[in-house]
Amino acid sequence: MELEITTLIVLALVALVAGFIDSMAGGGGLITIPALLAAGVPPTMALATNKLQSSFGSFAATLYFLKRGMIDLASMKWAVICTFVGSALGTLLVQQIDSSQLSRILPYLLVGFACYFLFSPRISDSDSHRRLSHNAFALLVGTGVGFYDGFFGPGTGSFFAMAFVALAGLGMAKATAHTKLLNFTSNMASLLFFIIGGKVLWTVGLTMAVGQILGARLGSRMVVAKGVKLIRPLLVTVSLVMCARLLWQGHPEWFAWIGAGLKAVLPV
């Protein structure tokens, strides 16, 4: 499948914006997947190509945070391994069964995440008490969230970020940095199986990767410079936007009723 050069340029610009947002709060797929579908890319290929381009963005963000000493690689080795295995298993399973049931539960979880990020006193730039050992965190969070990302995906960054803050005791900026490492790991595991299945559009994905890298670098700098003042409202916003999008996909009639109600009470 080939796209016109103008479409490729637009997709690269979309990826730049997505990479910028994703490096700070996750949710970049909310922007890139609809853009790929609008460009005429079939759904499975859109998901596979999105994994390719987002892998570049998550890698660029991870590298930036590593260079600034914000990621403790030694303590993350088991989390990386467990996340990779979990994502691979989720990607294999989703090809066998229907994952759509998760879309009914996820919006309510995302609202819960938004409330946690908005009101929890643990959300700060300072580290706090760790509640899980490194190995327990790797097994429970790495495997569990990695599996979820390979199986379904939306909100993965929010899952990881909340786990790092609530269970690993990291400050918001460090939690974001470590989230990108596990995002990259999960993306690569899922991408591997999409490549084996021949679903990746390489020209499209690599073109978008240029925008992802630039956006991720800019967003990572903002994380370092602004910390929790920027990340907290972004995480809340992204979680609520993902919630609204999933509800719209699952219950379009709700939004039709809302629209009809607004027309009835507002002056034309």
Side-chain angles (χ1 to χ4, degrees), residues 41-111:
V41 179
T44 303
M45 288 186 172
L47 291 172
T49 304
N50 181 65
K51 285 294 184 185
L52 173 62
Q53 61 94 32
S54 63
S55 294
F56 280 88
S58 57
F59 175 74
T62 300
L63 187 61
Y64 184 88
F65 290 132
L66 274 172
K67 288 181 176 179
R68 276 144 191 83
M70 296 179 67
I71 299 176
D72 181 5
L73 275 182
S75 68
M76 290 295 294
K77 61 181 181 179
W78 286 113
V80 167
I81 292 170
C82 288
T83 299
F84 189 94
V85 172
S87 180
L89 291 174
T91 304
L92 288 172
L93 184 61
V94 75
Q95 299 176 53
Q96 308 300 322
I97 64 176
D98 181 17
S99 66
S100 62
Q101 295 300 318
L102 283 175
S103 64
R104 298 182 180 182
I105 304 171
L106 187 59
Y108 307 103
L109 293 177
L110 290 170
V111 169

Short mmCIF file of all heavy atoms in Angstrom, two decimals, residues 41-111:
data_model
loop_
_atom_site.label_atom_id
_atom_site.label_comp_id
_atom_site.label_asym_id
_atom_site.label_seq_id
_atom_site.Cartn_x
_atom_site.Cartn_y
_atom_site.Cartn_z
N VAL A 41 -5.61 3.54 5.64
CA VAL A 41 -4.87 2.35 6.05
C VAL A 41 -5.84 1.38 6.75
O VAL A 41 -6.57 1.79 7.64
CB VAL A 41 -3.71 2.72 7.02
CG1 VAL A 41 -2.97 1.47 7.46
CG2 VAL A 41 -2.76 3.70 6.33
N PRO A 42 -5.87 0.10 6.34
CA PRO A 42 -6.74 -0.88 7.00
C PRO A 42 -6.45 -0.98 8.49
O PRO A 42 -5.30 -0.78 8.91
CB PRO A 42 -6.40 -2.19 6.27
CG PRO A 42 -5.85 -1.76 4.95
CD PRO A 42 -5.12 -0.48 5.21
N PRO A 43 -7.45 -1.30 9.32
CA PRO A 43 -7.29 -1.29 10.78
C PRO A 43 -6.09 -2.08 11.31
O PRO A 43 -5.34 -1.56 12.14
CB PRO A 43 -8.61 -1.87 11.28
CG PRO A 43 -9.59 -1.50 10.22
CD PRO A 43 -8.85 -1.59 8.93
N THR A 44 -5.92 -3.33 10.88
CA THR A 44 -4.81 -4.13 11.41
C THR A 44 -3.47 -3.52 11.03
O THR A 44 -2.55 -3.45 11.86
CB THR A 44 -4.89 -5.58 10.87
OG1 THR A 44 -6.15 -6.15 11.22
CG2 THR A 44 -3.77 -6.42 11.47
N MET A 45 -3.36 -3.05 9.79
CA MET A 45 -2.12 -2.41 9.36
C MET A 45 -1.90 -1.09 10.08
O MET A 45 -0.76 -0.70 10.37
CB MET A 45 -2.13 -2.18 7.85
CG MET A 45 -1.98 -3.44 7.03
SD MET A 45 -1.83 -3.10 5.26
CE MET A 45 -1.42 -4.73 4.64
N ALA A 46 -3.00 -0.39 10.40
CA ALA A 46 -2.89 0.86 11.15
C ALA A 46 -2.31 0.60 12.54
O ALA A 46 -1.43 1.33 13.01
CB ALA A 46 -4.25 1.54 11.26
N LEU A 47 -2.79 -0.46 13.21
CA LEU A 47 -2.27 -0.81 14.53
C LEU A 47 -0.80 -1.20 14.45
O LEU A 47 0.01 -0.79 15.29
CB LEU A 47 -3.09 -1.96 15.12
CG LEU A 47 -4.54 -1.65 15.51
CD1 LEU A 47 -5.27 -2.93 15.89
CD2 LEU A 47 -4.60 -0.64 16.64
N ALA A 48 -0.45 -2.01 13.46
CA ALA A 48 0.93 -2.46 13.31
C ALA A 48 1.86 -1.30 12.99
O ALA A 48 2.94 -1.17 13.58
CB ALA A 48 1.01 -3.52 12.21
N THR A 49 1.46 -0.45 12.06
CA THR A 49 2.28 0.70 11.67
C THR A 49 2.40 1.70 12.81
O THR A 49 3.45 2.32 13.00
CB THR A 49 1.68 1.37 10.42
OG1 THR A 49 1.54 0.40 9.38
CG2 THR A 49 2.56 2.52 9.93
N ASN A 50 1.34 1.83 13.59
CA ASN A 50 1.40 2.70 14.76
C ASN A 50 2.43 2.21 15.77
O ASN A 50 3.14 3.01 16.38
CB ASN A 50 0.02 2.78 15.42
CG ASN A 50 0.01 3.70 16.62
OD1 ASN A 50 0.21 4.90 16.50
ND2 ASN A 50 -0.19 3.13 17.80
N LYS A 51 2.52 0.89 15.95
CA LYS A 51 3.53 0.33 16.86
C LYS A 51 4.93 0.65 16.36
O LYS A 51 5.83 0.95 17.17
CB LYS A 51 3.35 -1.18 16.98
CG LYS A 51 2.18 -1.61 17.85
CD LYS A 51 2.39 -1.20 19.31
CE LYS A 51 1.27 -1.71 20.19
NZ LYS A 51 1.39 -1.22 21.59
N LEU A 52 5.14 0.60 15.04
CA LEU A 52 6.45 0.91 14.48
C LEU A 52 6.85 2.35 14.78
O LEU A 52 7.91 2.62 15.35
CB LEU A 52 6.46 0.67 12.98
CG LEU A 52 7.73 1.12 12.23
CD1 LEU A 52 8.95 0.37 12.73
CD2 LEU A 52 7.55 0.95 10.73
N GLN A 53 5.98 3.29 14.42
CA GLN A 53 6.35 4.70 14.60
C GLN A 53 6.41 5.09 16.08
O GLN A 53 7.28 5.85 16.49
CB GLN A 53 5.39 5.60 13.81
CG GLN A 53 3.93 5.53 14.21
CD GLN A 53 3.56 6.59 15.22
OE1 GLN A 53 4.13 7.69 15.23
NE2 GLN A 53 2.62 6.28 16.10
N SER A 54 5.53 4.53 16.91
CA SER A 54 5.56 4.88 18.32
C SER A 54 6.77 4.29 19.03
O SER A 54 7.22 4.82 20.05
CB SER A 54 4.27 4.43 19.02
OG SER A 54 4.14 3.02 18.99
N SER A 55 7.31 3.19 18.49
CA SER A 55 8.53 2.61 19.06
C SER A 55 9.70 3.59 18.95
O SER A 55 10.51 3.70 19.87
CB SER A 55 8.90 1.30 18.34
OG SER A 55 7.93 0.31 18.59
N PHE A 56 9.75 4.32 17.87
CA PHE A 56 10.82 5.32 17.70
C PHE A 56 10.64 6.46 18.70
O PHE A 56 11.61 6.95 19.29
CB PHE A 56 10.81 5.87 16.27
CG PHE A 56 11.47 4.98 15.28
CD1 PHE A 56 10.77 3.98 14.64
CD2 PHE A 56 12.82 5.13 14.98
CE1 PHE A 56 11.38 3.14 13.72
CE2 PHE A 56 13.46 4.31 14.06
CZ PHE A 56 12.73 3.29 13.43
N GLY A 57 9.39 6.88 18.91
CA GLY A 57 9.14 7.96 19.86
C GLY A 57 9.46 7.55 21.28
O GLY A 57 10.12 8.30 22.02
N SER A 58 9.03 6.36 21.68
CA SER A 58 9.30 5.90 23.05
C SER A 58 10.79 5.65 23.25
O SER A 58 11.32 5.89 24.34
CB SER A 58 8.48 4.65 23.36
OG SER A 58 8.74 3.62 22.44
N PHE A 59 11.49 5.21 22.19
CA PHE A 59 12.94 5.02 22.31
C PHE A 59 13.65 6.36 22.47
O PHE A 59 14.56 6.49 23.31
CB PHE A 59 13.48 4.30 21.08
CG PHE A 59 14.98 4.18 21.07
CD1 PHE A 59 15.62 3.28 21.91
CD2 PHE A 59 15.75 4.98 20.24
CE1 PHE A 59 17.01 3.17 21.91
CE2 PHE A 59 17.13 4.88 20.24
CZ PHE A 59 17.77 3.97 21.08
N ALA A 60 13.24 7.36 21.67
CA ALA A 60 13.87 8.68 21.76
C ALA A 60 13.66 9.28 23.15
O ALA A 60 14.60 9.86 23.73
CB ALA A 60 13.30 9.60 20.68
N ALA A 61 12.45 9.15 23.69
CA ALA A 61 12.18 9.69 25.02
C ALA A 61 12.98 8.93 26.08
O ALA A 61 13.57 9.54 26.98
CB ALA A 61 10.68 9.59 25.33
N THR A 62 13.03 7.60 25.96
CA THR A 62 13.79 6.79 26.91
C THR A 62 15.26 7.16 26.90
O THR A 62 15.89 7.31 27.96
CB THR A 62 13.62 5.29 26.58
OG1 THR A 62 12.24 4.94 26.65
CG2 THR A 62 14.43 4.44 27.55
N LEU A 63 15.82 7.33 25.71
CA LEU A 63 17.24 7.68 25.59
C LEU A 63 17.53 9.04 26.23
O LEU A 63 18.54 9.22 26.91
CB LEU A 63 17.65 7.69 24.11
CG LEU A 63 19.13 7.88 23.80
CD1 LEU A 63 19.95 6.75 24.40
CD2 LEU A 63 19.35 7.96 22.29
N TYR A 64 16.63 9.99 26.02
CA TYR A 64 16.79 11.32 26.60
C TYR A 64 16.81 11.24 28.13
O TYR A 64 17.67 11.83 28.79
CB TYR A 64 15.66 12.23 26.13
CG TYR A 64 15.79 13.67 26.60
CD1 TYR A 64 16.51 14.60 25.85
CD2 TYR A 64 15.20 14.09 27.79
CE1 TYR A 64 16.64 15.91 26.27
CE2 TYR A 64 15.33 15.40 28.21
CZ TYR A 64 16.05 16.30 27.45
OH TYR A 64 16.18 17.60 27.90
N PHE A 65 15.86 10.48 28.69
CA PHE A 65 15.80 10.35 30.15
C PHE A 65 17.00 9.58 30.70
O PHE A 65 17.50 9.89 31.78
CB PHE A 65 14.50 9.65 30.55
CG PHE A 65 13.25 10.47 30.32
CD1 PHE A 65 12.15 9.92 29.68
CD2 PHE A 65 13.18 11.79 30.76
CE1 PHE A 65 11.00 10.68 29.47
CE2 PHE A 65 12.04 12.55 30.56
CZ PHE A 65 10.95 11.99 29.91
N LEU A 66 17.46 8.58 29.95
CA LEU A 66 18.64 7.83 30.39
C LEU A 66 19.87 8.73 30.48
O LEU A 66 20.64 8.66 31.45
CB LEU A 66 18.92 6.68 29.41
CG LEU A 66 18.18 5.37 29.65
CD1 LEU A 66 18.41 4.42 28.47
CD2 LEU A 66 18.62 4.71 30.95
N LYS A 67 20.07 9.56 29.48
CA LYS A 67 21.23 10.45 29.46
C LYS A 67 21.22 11.43 30.63
O LYS A 67 22.28 11.92 31.03
CB LYS A 67 21.28 11.21 28.13
CG LYS A 67 21.67 10.33 26.94
CD LYS A 67 21.72 11.14 25.66
CE LYS A 67 22.19 10.29 24.49
NZ LYS A 67 22.22 11.06 23.21
N ARG A 68 20.05 11.71 31.14
CA ARG A 68 19.94 12.64 32.26
C ARG A 68 19.82 11.93 33.61
O ARG A 68 19.49 12.55 34.62
CB ARG A 68 18.76 13.59 32.02
CG ARG A 68 19.18 14.75 31.13
CD ARG A 68 18.12 15.20 30.17
NE ARG A 68 18.72 16.13 29.22
CZ ARG A 68 19.39 15.73 28.13
NH1 ARG A 68 19.54 14.45 27.88
NH2 ARG A 68 19.92 16.62 27.31
N GLY A 69 20.09 10.65 33.61
CA GLY A 69 20.14 9.90 34.86
C GLY A 69 18.80 9.73 35.55
O GLY A 69 18.75 9.51 36.77
N MET A 70 17.68 9.79 34.80
CA MET A 70 16.37 9.70 35.42
C MET A 70 15.82 8.28 35.45
O MET A 70 14.74 8.04 35.98
CB MET A 70 15.39 10.63 34.68
CG MET A 70 15.75 12.10 34.79
SD MET A 70 14.61 13.18 33.89
CE MET A 70 13.10 12.96 34.84
N ILE A 71 16.54 7.33 34.82
CA ILE A 71 16.10 5.93 34.80
C ILE A 71 17.18 5.06 35.44
O ILE A 71 18.35 5.13 35.05
CB ILE A 71 15.82 5.45 33.37
CG1 ILE A 71 14.71 6.27 32.72
CG2 ILE A 71 15.44 3.97 33.37
CD1 ILE A 71 14.44 5.91 31.28
N ASP A 72 16.77 4.25 36.40
CA ASP A 72 17.69 3.32 37.05
C ASP A 72 17.59 1.97 36.34
O ASP A 72 16.76 1.13 36.67
CB ASP A 72 17.32 3.18 38.53
CG ASP A 72 18.26 2.24 39.28
OD1 ASP A 72 19.25 1.79 38.68
OD2 ASP A 72 18.00 1.97 40.47
N LEU A 73 18.45 1.76 35.33
CA LEU A 73 18.37 0.55 34.51
C LEU A 73 18.61 -0.72 35.32
O LEU A 73 17.98 -1.75 35.07
CB LEU A 73 19.38 0.63 33.36
CG LEU A 73 18.95 1.36 32.09
CD1 LEU A 73 20.05 1.28 31.05
CD2 LEU A 73 17.65 0.78 31.54
N ALA A 74 19.54 -0.65 36.27
CA ALA A 74 19.88 -1.84 37.05
C ALA A 74 18.66 -2.40 37.78
O ALA A 74 18.47 -3.62 37.86
CB ALA A 74 20.98 -1.51 38.05
N SER A 75 17.82 -1.52 38.30
CA SER A 75 16.64 -1.98 39.05
C SER A 75 15.47 -2.33 38.14
O SER A 75 14.47 -2.88 38.59
CB SER A 75 16.20 -0.89 40.03
OG SER A 75 15.69 0.24 39.33
N MET A 76 15.60 -2.02 36.83
CA MET A 76 14.48 -2.21 35.90
C MET A 76 14.63 -3.44 35.01
O MET A 76 13.75 -3.71 34.19
CB MET A 76 14.33 -0.96 35.03
CG MET A 76 13.83 0.26 35.77
SD MET A 76 12.15 0.05 36.39
CE MET A 76 11.24 -0.05 34.87
N LYS A 77 15.73 -4.19 35.16
CA LYS A 77 15.96 -5.27 34.19
C LYS A 77 14.85 -6.32 34.21
O LYS A 77 14.40 -6.78 33.14
CB LYS A 77 17.32 -5.92 34.45
CG LYS A 77 17.49 -6.57 35.81
CD LYS A 77 18.89 -7.17 35.96
CE LYS A 77 19.06 -7.85 37.33
NZ LYS A 77 20.41 -8.45 37.48
N TRP A 78 14.37 -6.70 35.40
CA TRP A 78 13.31 -7.70 35.47
C TRP A 78 11.98 -7.12 35.00
O TRP A 78 11.16 -7.84 34.39
CB TRP A 78 13.18 -8.28 36.87
CG TRP A 78 14.30 -9.21 37.20
CD1 TRP A 78 15.28 -9.04 38.13
CD2 TRP A 78 14.58 -10.47 36.57
NE1 TRP A 78 16.15 -10.09 38.13
CE2 TRP A 78 15.75 -11.00 37.19
CE3 TRP A 78 13.96 -11.20 35.55
CZ2 TRP A 78 16.30 -12.22 36.81
CZ3 TRP A 78 14.51 -12.43 35.18
CH2 TRP A 78 15.67 -12.92 35.80
N ALA A 79 11.75 -5.85 35.25
CA ALA A 79 10.52 -5.21 34.77
C ALA A 79 10.50 -5.18 33.24
O ALA A 79 9.45 -5.40 32.61
CB ALA A 79 10.40 -3.79 35.33
N VAL A 80 11.66 -4.92 32.64
CA VAL A 80 11.76 -4.92 31.18
C VAL A 80 11.47 -6.31 30.62
O VAL A 80 10.70 -6.47 29.66
CB VAL A 80 13.16 -4.43 30.74
CG1 VAL A 80 13.38 -4.71 29.25
CG2 VAL A 80 13.31 -2.95 31.01
N ILE A 81 12.07 -7.33 31.22
CA ILE A 81 11.87 -8.70 30.75
C ILE A 81 10.40 -9.12 30.90
O ILE A 81 9.79 -9.67 29.97
CB ILE A 81 12.78 -9.68 31.52
CG1 ILE A 81 14.25 -9.42 31.16
CG2 ILE A 81 12.41 -11.13 31.22
CD1 ILE A 81 15.24 -10.17 32.04
N CYS A 82 9.83 -8.84 32.07
CA CYS A 82 8.43 -9.22 32.31
C CYS A 82 7.48 -8.46 31.39
O CYS A 82 6.48 -9.03 30.91
CB CYS A 82 8.06 -8.97 33.77
SG CYS A 82 8.82 -10.13 34.93
N THR A 83 7.76 -7.19 31.14
CA THR A 83 6.91 -6.40 30.23
C THR A 83 6.97 -6.96 28.82
O THR A 83 5.94 -7.06 28.13
CB THR A 83 7.35 -4.93 30.23
OG1 THR A 83 7.22 -4.40 31.55
CG2 THR A 83 6.51 -4.11 29.28
N PHE A 84 8.16 -7.33 28.37
CA PHE A 84 8.32 -7.89 27.02
C PHE A 84 7.53 -9.19 26.90
O PHE A 84 6.78 -9.38 25.92
CB PHE A 84 9.80 -8.15 26.73
CG PHE A 84 10.08 -8.53 25.30
CD1 PHE A 84 10.44 -7.56 24.37
CD2 PHE A 84 9.97 -9.85 24.88
CE1 PHE A 84 10.67 -7.91 23.05
CE2 PHE A 84 10.21 -10.20 23.56
CZ PHE A 84 10.57 -9.24 22.64
N VAL A 85 7.67 -10.07 27.87
CA VAL A 85 6.96 -11.35 27.84
C VAL A 85 5.45 -11.13 27.89
O VAL A 85 4.68 -11.74 27.13
CB VAL A 85 7.42 -12.25 29.00
CG1 VAL A 85 6.54 -13.49 29.10
CG2 VAL A 85 8.88 -12.65 28.84
N GLY A 86 5.01 -10.25 28.79
CA GLY A 86 3.58 -9.97 28.91
C GLY A 86 2.99 -9.41 27.63
O GLY A 86 1.91 -9.84 27.18
N SER A 87 3.69 -8.47 27.01
CA SER A 87 3.21 -7.88 25.76
C SER A 87 3.15 -8.90 24.64
O SER A 87 2.19 -8.93 23.85
CB SER A 87 4.11 -6.71 25.36
OG SER A 87 3.66 -6.11 24.16
N ALA A 88 4.16 -9.76 24.56
CA ALA A 88 4.17 -10.80 23.53
C ALA A 88 2.99 -11.75 23.71
O ALA A 88 2.30 -12.10 22.73
CB ALA A 88 5.49 -11.58 23.59
N LEU A 89 2.72 -12.15 24.94
CA LEU A 89 1.59 -13.04 25.21
C LEU A 89 0.26 -12.37 24.87
O LEU A 89 -0.64 -12.99 24.30
CB LEU A 89 1.60 -13.47 26.68
CG LEU A 89 2.75 -14.41 27.10
CD1 LEU A 89 2.72 -14.64 28.61
CD2 LEU A 89 2.67 -15.73 26.36
N GLY A 90 0.14 -11.09 25.23
CA GLY A 90 -1.08 -10.36 24.91
C GLY A 90 -1.31 -10.22 23.42
O GLY A 90 -2.45 -10.36 22.93
N THR A 91 -0.24 -9.96 22.67
CA THR A 91 -0.34 -9.83 21.22
C THR A 91 -0.76 -11.15 20.58
O THR A 91 -1.55 -11.17 19.63
CB THR A 91 0.99 -9.36 20.62
OG1 THR A 91 1.39 -8.14 21.25
CG2 THR A 91 0.87 -9.12 19.12
N LEU A 92 -0.23 -12.26 21.10
CA LEU A 92 -0.62 -13.57 20.57
C LEU A 92 -2.07 -13.88 20.89
O LEU A 92 -2.82 -14.39 20.05
CB LEU A 92 0.29 -14.65 21.17
CG LEU A 92 1.73 -14.68 20.67
CD1 LEU A 92 2.55 -15.65 21.49
CD2 LEU A 92 1.77 -15.06 19.19
N LEU A 93 -2.50 -13.56 22.13
CA LEU A 93 -3.86 -13.89 22.54
C LEU A 93 -4.91 -13.07 21.80
O LEU A 93 -5.98 -13.59 21.45
CB LEU A 93 -4.01 -13.68 24.05
CG LEU A 93 -5.37 -14.08 24.64
CD1 LEU A 93 -5.65 -15.57 24.42
CD2 LEU A 93 -5.42 -13.75 26.13
N VAL A 94 -4.61 -11.79 21.54
CA VAL A 94 -5.61 -10.93 20.91
C VAL A 94 -5.94 -11.40 19.49
O VAL A 94 -6.99 -11.07 18.94
CB VAL A 94 -5.13 -9.46 20.89
CG1 VAL A 94 -4.06 -9.22 19.82
CG2 VAL A 94 -6.31 -8.51 20.69
N GLN A 95 -5.04 -12.18 18.89
CA GLN A 95 -5.31 -12.72 17.56
C GLN A 95 -6.26 -13.92 17.61
O GLN A 95 -6.74 -14.37 16.58
CB GLN A 95 -4.00 -13.13 16.89
CG GLN A 95 -3.04 -11.96 16.71
CD GLN A 95 -1.70 -12.39 16.14
OE1 GLN A 95 -1.63 -13.04 15.11
NE2 GLN A 95 -0.63 -12.02 16.82
N GLN A 96 -6.54 -14.41 18.82
CA GLN A 96 -7.38 -15.59 18.97
C GLN A 96 -8.78 -15.28 19.51
O GLN A 96 -9.73 -15.97 19.19
CB GLN A 96 -6.70 -16.59 19.92
CG GLN A 96 -5.27 -16.94 19.57
CD GLN A 96 -5.13 -17.57 18.20
OE1 GLN A 96 -5.98 -18.35 17.79
NE2 GLN A 96 -4.07 -17.22 17.48
N ILE A 97 -8.89 -14.21 20.33
CA ILE A 97 -10.18 -13.90 20.94
C ILE A 97 -10.51 -12.42 20.79
O ILE A 97 -9.65 -11.61 20.42
CB ILE A 97 -10.22 -14.29 22.44
CG1 ILE A 97 -9.21 -13.46 23.23
CG2 ILE A 97 -9.94 -15.77 22.61
CD1 ILE A 97 -9.26 -13.73 24.72
N ASP A 98 -11.74 -12.09 21.09
CA ASP A 98 -12.22 -10.71 20.96
C ASP A 98 -11.85 -9.90 22.20
O ASP A 98 -12.18 -10.29 23.32
CB ASP A 98 -13.75 -10.73 20.78
CG ASP A 98 -14.33 -9.33 20.61
OD1 ASP A 98 -13.55 -8.41 20.31
OD2 ASP A 98 -15.56 -9.18 20.76
N SER A 99 -11.17 -8.77 21.97
CA SER A 99 -10.76 -7.92 23.09
C SER A 99 -11.71 -6.76 23.34
O SER A 99 -11.46 -5.93 24.22
CB SER A 99 -9.36 -7.35 22.82
OG SER A 99 -9.39 -6.46 21.71
N SER A 100 -12.80 -6.68 22.56
CA SER A 100 -13.67 -5.51 22.63
C SER A 100 -14.36 -5.35 23.98
O SER A 100 -14.79 -4.24 24.34
CB SER A 100 -14.73 -5.57 21.52
OG SER A 100 -15.56 -6.71 21.69
N GLN A 101 -14.49 -6.44 24.75
CA GLN A 101 -15.16 -6.34 26.05
C GLN A 101 -14.43 -5.39 26.99
O GLN A 101 -15.04 -4.75 27.85
CB GLN A 101 -15.28 -7.73 26.69
CG GLN A 101 -16.17 -8.70 25.93
CD GLN A 101 -17.59 -8.20 25.80
OE1 GLN A 101 -18.17 -7.67 26.75
NE2 GLN A 101 -18.17 -8.35 24.62
N LEU A 102 -13.11 -5.30 26.81
CA LEU A 102 -12.33 -4.41 27.68
C LEU A 102 -12.73 -2.95 27.49
O LEU A 102 -12.59 -2.14 28.40
CB LEU A 102 -10.84 -4.58 27.40
CG LEU A 102 -10.16 -5.81 28.00
CD1 LEU A 102 -8.72 -5.89 27.53
CD2 LEU A 102 -10.21 -5.77 29.51
N SER A 103 -13.19 -2.60 26.29
CA SER A 103 -13.55 -1.21 26.03
C SER A 103 -14.73 -0.76 26.87
O SER A 103 -14.96 0.43 27.04
CB SER A 103 -13.87 -1.01 24.53
OG SER A 103 -15.01 -1.77 24.16
N ARG A 104 -15.51 -1.72 27.43
CA ARG A 104 -16.64 -1.35 28.27
C ARG A 104 -16.20 -0.99 29.69
O ARG A 104 -16.85 -0.21 30.37
CB ARG A 104 -17.65 -2.51 28.32
CG ARG A 104 -18.24 -2.87 26.96
CD ARG A 104 -19.26 -3.99 27.10
NE ARG A 104 -19.84 -4.35 25.81
CZ ARG A 104 -20.78 -5.27 25.64
NH1 ARG A 104 -21.26 -5.93 26.70
NH2 ARG A 104 -21.25 -5.54 24.44
N ILE A 105 -15.10 -1.59 30.12
CA ILE A 105 -14.61 -1.37 31.48
C ILE A 105 -13.64 -0.21 31.55
O ILE A 105 -13.64 0.57 32.51
CB ILE A 105 -13.92 -2.65 32.01
CG1 ILE A 105 -14.88 -3.84 31.94
CG2 ILE A 105 -13.41 -2.46 33.42
CD1 ILE A 105 -14.23 -5.16 32.23
N LEU A 106 -12.80 -0.07 30.52
CA LEU A 106 -11.69 0.86 30.56
C LEU A 106 -12.08 2.31 30.83
O LEU A 106 -11.38 3.00 31.57
CB LEU A 106 -10.87 0.76 29.27
CG LEU A 106 -9.58 1.58 29.24
CD1 LEU A 106 -8.63 1.17 30.36
CD2 LEU A 106 -8.88 1.43 27.89
N PRO A 107 -13.16 2.85 30.23
CA PRO A 107 -13.49 4.27 30.49
C PRO A 107 -13.61 4.59 31.97
O PRO A 107 -13.17 5.66 32.43
CB PRO A 107 -14.83 4.47 29.77
CG PRO A 107 -14.80 3.47 28.67
CD PRO A 107 -14.09 2.27 29.24
N TYR A 108 -14.17 3.66 32.75
CA TYR A 108 -14.36 3.91 34.18
C TYR A 108 -13.03 3.84 34.93
O TYR A 108 -12.80 4.58 35.89
CB TYR A 108 -15.37 2.91 34.73
CG TYR A 108 -16.66 2.91 33.93
CD1 TYR A 108 -16.92 1.89 33.01
CD2 TYR A 108 -17.57 3.95 34.03
CE1 TYR A 108 -18.08 1.90 32.25
CE2 TYR A 108 -18.74 3.97 33.28
CZ TYR A 108 -18.98 2.94 32.38
OH TYR A 108 -20.12 2.97 31.63
N LEU A 109 -12.13 2.97 34.46
CA LEU A 109 -10.79 2.93 35.04
C LEU A 109 -10.05 4.23 34.76
O LEU A 109 -9.34 4.76 35.62
CB LEU A 109 -9.99 1.75 34.46
CG LEU A 109 -10.48 0.35 34.84
CD1 LEU A 109 -9.63 -0.70 34.13
CD2 LEU A 109 -10.43 0.13 36.34
N LEU A 110 -10.21 4.76 33.56
CA LEU A 110 -9.53 6.00 33.19
C LEU A 110 -10.03 7.18 34.01
O LEU A 110 -9.25 8.07 34.37
CB LEU A 110 -9.70 6.28 31.69
CG LEU A 110 -8.94 5.32 30.77
CD1 LEU A 110 -9.37 5.52 29.32
CD2 LEU A 110 -7.43 5.53 30.89
N VAL A 111 -11.31 7.20 34.30
CA VAL A 111 -11.85 8.26 35.18
C VAL A 111 -11.21 8.13 36.56
O VAL A 111 -10.84 9.12 37.20
CB VAL A 111 -13.38 8.16 35.28
CG1 VAL A 111 -13.90 9.08 36.38
CG2 VAL A 111 -14.01 8.54 33.95
#
